[in-house]
Amino acid sequence: MTCKMQEMTWQDFDEIRKEGIVILPVGSTEQHGPHLPLSVDAIISEGLAVMIAEKVRGAVAPTICYGYKSAPLSGGGPFFPGTLDLNGLTLMNLVGDVLEELIRDQVKKILIVNGHYENEAFILEAVDLISRKYPDVKIVEASWWDQISQEVMDRVFDEVPFPGWALEHAAIAETSLTMFFRPDLVKFDRLIEDGVEEELTYQVYPAPKEIVPKSGLLATARTSSLEKGKWLAEDIAEFYKKIVLKEFNKS
Amino acid sequence: MTCKMQEMTWQDFDEIRKEGIVILPVGSTEQHGPHLPLSVDAIISEGLAVMIAEKVRGAVAPTICYGYKSAPLSGGGPFFPGTLDLNGLTLMNLVGDVLEELIRDQVKKILIVNGHYENEAFILEAVDLISRKYPDVKIVEASWWDQISQEVMDRVFDEVPFPGWALEHAAIAETSLTMFFRPDLVKFDRLIEDGVEEELTYQVYPAPKEIVPKSGLLATARTSSLEKGKWLAEDIAEFYKKIVLKEFNKS
Amino acid sequence: MTCKMQEMTWQDFDEIRKEGIVILPVGSTEQHGPHLPLSVDAIISEGLAVMIAEKVRGAVAPTICYGYKSAPLSGGGPFFPGTLDLNGLTLMNLVGDVLEELIRDQVKKILIVNGHYENEAFILEAVDLISRKYPDVKIVEASWWDQISQEVMDRVFDEVPFPGWALEHAAIAETSLTMFFRPDLVKFDRLIEDGVEEELTYQVYPAPKEIVPKSGLLATARTSSLEKGKWLAEDIAEFYKKIVLKEFNKS
Amino acid sequence: MTCKMQEMTWQDFDEIRKEGIVILPVGSTEQHGPHLPLSVDAIISEGLAVMIAEKVRGAVAPTICYGYKSAPLSGGGPFFPGTLDLNGLTLMNLVGDVLEELIRDQVKKILIVNGHYENEAFILEAVDLISRKYPDVKIVEASWWDQISQEVMDRVFDEVPFPGWALEHAAIAETSLTMFFRPDLVKFDRLIEDGVEEELTYQVYPAPKEIVPKSGLLATARTSSLEKGKWLAEDIAEFYKKIVLKEFNKS
Amino acid sequence: MTCKMQEMTWQDFDEIRKEGIVILPVGSTEQHGPHLPLSVDAIISEGLAVMIAEKVRGAVAPTICYGYKSAPLSGGGPFFPGTLDLNGLTLMNLVGDVLEELIRDQVKKILIVNGHYENEAFILEAVDLISRKYPDVKIVEASWWDQISQEVMDRVFDEVPFPGWALEHAAIAETSLTMFFRPDLVKFDRLIEDGVEEELTYQVYPAPKEIVPKSGLLATARTSSLEKGKWLAEDIAEFYKKIVLKEFNKS
Amino acid sequence: MTCKMQEMTWQDFDEIRKEGIVILPVGSTEQHGPHLPLSVDAIISEGLAVMIAEKVRGAVAPTICYGYKSAPLSGGGPFFPGTLDLNGLTLMNLVGDVLEELIRDQVKKILIVNGHYENEAFILEAVDLISRKYPDVKIVEASWWDQISQEVMDRVFDEVPFPGWALEHAAIAETSLTMFFRPDLVKFDRLIEDGVEEELTYQVYPAPKEIVPKSGLLATARTSSLEKGKWLAEDIAEFYKKIVLKEFNKS
């Protein structure tokens, strides 16, 4: 049976909801350079959520495919057509409503898989407000880039040094993962060499256009591969599984 | 080229945004009886949006897959696991933010394809607030069930009389359209005969459970077919195309 | 004794509040053509509320005399001076606060009589949010035009065919009811023949001025009469009484 | 012609709106002792508004008949059934929306007649937010008790000393004014002697019940009379007229 | 030991929180004429809070140093650089959050010392909303100018008559109290004679600049002295102590 | 002259506002282990702001002394009395209002010095919303821990390795800086050895108490010293000065 709620009937979901875990992927609609689609963050978080769900008998709620505002040095900021940003309050209310509805369906174990760096503070605020109201429900939030073993990191960043997660935007990890989950959407022929020249230690508003590469690529994606995407996906999904086992006593 | 923004790079979208139309499908996550998936409203609105986009050179924004609260006599109400409802304010802010972001990308023509009855007032409030701020942008909102020719209605409701759109929930039109767009997700073997016994002329809170059929099916889906779904989809898409031609001067 | 809370002392209300029903009329301030006053929706909902209250020993709360935004094809939209619209959130909070205050006064049975089409979704959102908080209170919401017997409809629309409730704005039903409740406010000499030429199946923003008749009259009011208003009022009030008997076990 | 917008057609209002003043009365639904109705604040503010409108060719917008939370020592607080209080945010949004709609109708001169002490800060916040947005519109807010000549005060408080406006609740001024505007609603036979024993110099939450007289009467109403109501009303209306002349250059 | 929470470790606060009183000073950042600093309202409310805390074994929470919008005739209004005003909703949420956090720390007795006239309604709205949620916590709110004995008033306003508290802005009481608490911040050499010429009985928006003295001084501060500040501070602190004893049974 | 707005008269501020920079420190009220006061984040951000102001002729706005919710592994979370957290929306509105008021005073250059890790996303959301409204104003936001040279880091973390900034809570950097700015408030005798045993790669709600050391100290503060505090403060202030020079063309 499918693990995606979107594909389930309500009766399918009824069987899983009280004992099972519900996994909520949160992505964004954001530029990812000349070679990746706008939905990279949704594709990766949903793809991982499905892998995790299969490991732990979970159901995957519909992916939240709009996210919080892209920042210049971790996503290109407001300069690129196609980046569709939510205000902080909107994302907070959206995540909060979905969580509350799951809880009203008697779900007691919720895992949020975040795929967009800028989302995190607003997701956590939503979780906090809901958690105060329903203290008997356990909610875990984890961004995928924090769940990778050093070994896989070393294999993925074999030639090119790891630039830090902020700049790893449309770069090797995201490109490889998108190649793994949706190879049809990666336009490798359009890939160029580009990257941020200088990282600022502060934020400027209005954002200065010149600090962001014109391509939207914040670091090189040169050595990306479907195989690296597979290593990453499997490693990350296994990591999440361990979190689920530990926090929810569940296999 | 794909017409789905989710599958486009930002440069793909850049080419289309200033002259083209952006189509925003709005669905829901809501029970649709024992034989249809929770995402029927998203599947249909997105499916139609893609058909329209192909006719008018439009781009389809990521489908809003959570909607406003299901009402007992048009969607089954709060009684079914898997129905995940947004509060009115949340949906208003969500739609409003997406519209504003499209407008900030210089999009001037936006068509909203609504697939969930209860969404409409809150979508329109969002549109009104944005429209006051950006009066030079034209926004059209149309629910799909209002865009069907009488001829196709007669063909679809050939044996079973049309029960009205409120009760046409998980029934012949929605089942046929889902068979057309996602035949793999229709579990026809689970289909039963069921329906609302008495329509109330008023709303009661808390909603009385007994007014809603236990299956969640508000009217029969017996005579549904993929062919009827095709008739509906093509008729509706053609109808929307005419709206686009009339309102946006666009082919 | 009066049934209007506005005319009661607090001690009068104290006697009725715990056992009785409180009826909350919700109207609007909206153009109603050249012959009807801006407060038609408030006049009719309050007039009916008083009739119902007399039948069921209820108290009528002060009428909410501002409503949600007038739509072009059900109220003339934003084009007419004197139409004073509330934002959706404002109406939601206003209705919600009044309900919560009644409940804090230990009222357990509340009937909302809606007199303005566009109000409904926002009233219901307010009711839903309050109802979740106070599940032991029963709240019924009913728009008056949904509570008419076919027999009276046939008598009222004897010469002129019924145009549907959206277009029945400032037309035969509203004119007749206003003649019944406040004959002094109907300027029959100013009545003209006018009406919507074409109903759109969709909404356009900014609203196109040309789709609304310049008079604000959406359908003919020609055959209106005080007698028809009396038939309607008595039929509707009797209908509401039956709802009250059924839902609140109350005579 | 009537000066009440509620009784005008949109064409009547159209004639007055651009040059004339619109007067918005704001009241409350609040206990006023055993002898006065719950709508005293609405009756007085609306009654005065009509008198002023007649002097300055103004239109009176529909009275806002729900107000901000009654305070124990200026209105009896939350202890009395029938007192229906709005939250601060709700009143702010309600007043703000009405003002904005008047302004969108090109009204440039607005006078708010406040009849409920506790409303003032929230009305002013609404006015401030709107005024920042529309700096070319002039808005004056004035509570009626601040617009009385010393001479009339002396005549009204001839036997009983003036207790201050906070305690002047359901007392001589309000009783006399209600006798003037709506003599049918004053139950003089139920009037008792009562009053606050000790005024606190601070606020306590939850409000202590014992500081408020059980009758809801905060000071004696013994020497009230219709004649005193007339003196007050005429004096106050004249005072407002002078404000209008001064601030709006209008007769 | 210090009574300021800002100077305590969490363990210091842990000892006092369950039995003790927490005192929350609320000030503003607002012009106070040519001779007083922008933080007068914060200085005075915090200074008094510390004196009260020492008398009743209380802890003083960090002073809220931004307040609600200055009004022209009680603070100079929006005309003076350095007056930094909060919107009403912001102040309500800010005060509400701080109260709720104290209550979550099991504090049961809270005293709010208000030092800015315009704050009061919004502080009380915040208190009301929190108090409804936590009815077992007692919260007292008191503005300092309401807690002065007649005897001290007479001594302070010995030469110059008391102008009323609205106009007592940057005048004798506030100047003397600032001289007492922060003599280093009073620039007596810059003091001039100035004052409001005419008090309006109503509010005008946009505020007319000419009604406010250019200096920002609303009444004379001529006879201010550190000694008067001491009399006031000691009298007020003693008054608050009596409130604490009475309302919280605490010495 | 003082650089603190709180100590300035409005005329002092008037001289500096149009050409100068306004610096807004944002702190928190949060446990900082057994040896540091609750206001560490406010003390450090305000102390640095004053140092910067002196270098660039800036004015320091009143420090926002309440911050966003403490997280377990960067501040101890909700377990410690005295940690007083704001909701995200409250902090956003508070920062936004202060910025907007500065801008209404014609300030064009604003620097925000953040001293509390968890604040950042909500400060930036406030800045973004204001910046869209006032695009000609430049606003820079910078957390102090991102503005330290490697050389000083090496000198400060000479014996103890740097644990990362999340865990550097009440540890060597914060302790040394507090010793530098407010030596009187550091209780070195109460310092113990403590620290987080395991860093989670995800967030759990409700927060599990056992992951936070009972003392609230997340890493050792053993080798802290006033001298290190001085190195840090001077290095950081110099760093900020360079930012100001670069972004605001100002010395």
Side-chain angles (χ1 to χ4, degrees), chain B residues 25 28 44 62 65 71 81 87 105 120 164 166 171 186 191 229:
Chain B
S28 75
I44 297 176
C65 58
N87 287 307
D105 280 350
E120 193 153 46
V186 181
L191 182 61

Side-chain angles (χ1 to χ4, degrees), chain E residues 184-200:
Chain E
D184 57 314
L185 296 182
V186 181
K187 291 175 179 154
F188 222 81
D189 55 313
R190 297 204 199 157
L191 183 61
I192 58 168
E193 275 299 294
D194 211 343
V196 167
E197 282 178 23
E198 187 199 4
E199 275 192 275
L200 298 184

Side-chain angles (χ1 to χ4, degrees), chain F residues 55-112:
Chain F
K55 288 172 188 277
V56 300
R57 190 166 181 266
V60 178
T63 301
I64 291 181
C65 61
Y66 292 98
Y68 181 66
K69 294 166 189 172
S70 177
L73 293 183
S74 56
F79 303 119
F80 298 86
T83 295
L84 304 181
D85 294 332
L86 299 185
N87 286 307
L89 182 59
T90 305
L91 182 60
M92 277 153 49
N93 287 346
L94 176 55
V95 172
D97 281 9
V98 173
L99 293 176
E100 190 159 21
E101 282 289 284
L102 289 170
I103 292 168
R104 285 161 58 100
D105 280 351
Q106 294 172 270
V107 175
K108 298 265 184 248
K109 299 168 184 171
I110 303 174
L111 171 67
I112 299 175

Side-chain angles (χ1 to χ4, degrees), chain E residues 12-25:
Chain E
D12 296 336
F13 182 65
D14 192 29
E15 279 174 44
I16 205 170
R17 67 175 162 137
K18 288 195 200 171
E19 288 313 305
I21 288 168
V22 174
I23 305 173
L24 175 63

Side-chain angles (χ1 to χ4, degrees), chain C residues 199-215:
Chain C
E199 276 191 274
L200 298 184
T201 60
Y202 52 90
Q203 313 289 328
V204 187
Y205 289 81
K209 202 161 186 170
E210 64 277 9
I211 64 174
V212 182
K214 277 193 183 148
S215 68

Side-chain angles (χ1 to χ4, degrees), chain A residues 128-232:
Chain A
D128 182 72
L129 294 172
I130 289 296
S131 180
R132 291 180 183 204
K133 205 166 158 185
Y134 303 99
D136 58 326
V137 175
K138 196 162 191 178
I139 306 175
V140 171
E141 188 271 352
S143 295
W144 61 256
W145 49 85
D146 291 330
Q147 326 301 334
I148 310 179
S149 68
Q150 191 54 50
E151 193 225 316
V152 166
M153 282 298 277
D154 292 343
R155 276 198 276 156
V156 169
F157 294 94
D158 50 351
E159 293 179 46
V160 177
F162 174 58
W165 284 113
L167 295 193
E168 238 298 313
H169 181 79
I172 296 172
E174 290 197 325
T175 303
S176 298
L177 280 161
T178 309
M179 291 171 88
F180 175 64
F181 287 120
R182 289 294 302 272
D184 57 313
L185 297 181
V186 181
K187 291 174 178 157
F188 222 80
D189 56 313
R190 297 204 199 157
L191 182 61
I192 58 166
E193 275 299 293
D194 211 343
V196 167
E197 281 177 24
E198 185 199 6
E199 276 192 274
L200 297 184
T201 61
Y202 51 90
Q203 312 290 328
V204 186
Y205 289 81
K209 203 162 186 169
E210 64 277 10
I211 64 174
V212 181
K214 276 192 184 150
S215 68
L217 198 62
L218 304 192
T220 186
R222 184 162 34 94
T223 66
S224 309
S225 70
L226 192 152
E227 190 179 34
K228 283 183 175 174
K230 188 162 182 283
W231 294 339
L232 280 164

Side-chain angles (χ1 to χ4, degrees), chain B residues 68 88 125 128 147 201 247, chain C residues 68-69 88 125 128 147 201-202:
Chain B
Y68 182 67
E125 172 68 345
D128 181 73
Q147 325 302 333
T201 61
E247 298 294 341
Chain C
Y68 181 66
K69 294 168 188 170
E125 173 68 345
D128 181 72
Q147 325 302 334
T201 60
Y202 52 90

Side-chain angles (χ1 to χ4, degrees), chain C residues 4-19:
Chain C
K4 289 190 183 181
M5 278 182 68
Q6 280 166 295
E7 304 185 350
M8 293 179 187
T9 66
W10 72 265
Q11 291 168 344
D12 297 335
F13 182 67
D14 192 29
E15 279 174 43
I16 205 171
R17 68 175 161 136
K18 288 195 200 170
E19 288 314 305

